[in-house]
Amino acid sequence: PPAAAAPAATVSLAQRLPSVSEADWDSLLLAELRGQVAAVLGNSTPDAVQADRAFTDLGLDSRGALELRNRLAQSTGLTLPATVVFDYPN
């Protein structure tokens, strides 16, 4: 039988991007970011994260910013600066 697809949580963002159309990249990236922010803030769902609010307005502090950076680095496979959340505040 064919192998089952891995759940999205175990497949990196870089692996998922090619499977969606370029027109859907923004939606996928926003969903990933909201999910990671929700996890850092302890929210049960990404819907609790308003996309138009600054990270600090959502309650993200410097410790949370580093955790978010680490989660995004793991998810994307990119090396991100420690200041990425403050360089791009929303």
Side-chain angles (χ1 to χ4, degrees):
T10 62
V11 178
S12 76
L13 183 61
Q15 292 170 315
R16 286 184 278 151
L17 271 176
S19 69
V20 299
S21 70
E22 194 171 327
D24 293 330
W25 284 5
D26 285 347
S27 295
L28 179 63
L29 294 170
L30 182 58
E32 177 71 19
L33 181 59
R34 288 178 72 200
Q36 296 294 351
V37 171
V40 170
L41 294 176
N43 295 327
S44 60
T45 175
D47 295 334
V49 177
Q50 297 170 332
D52 59 344
R53 293 192 58 203
F55 294 126
T56 54
D57 291 344
L58 293 169
L60 201 66
D61 59 12
S62 58
R63 192 184 103 210
L66 287 176
E67 182 180 347
L68 178 59
R69 185 274 316 253
N70 293 341
R71 293 176 70 90
L72 291 173
Q74 182 178 12
S75 172
T76 62
L78 299 173
T79 301
L80 301 171
T83 59
V84 69
V85 172
F86 298 109
D87 293 342
Y88 302 95
N90 59 5

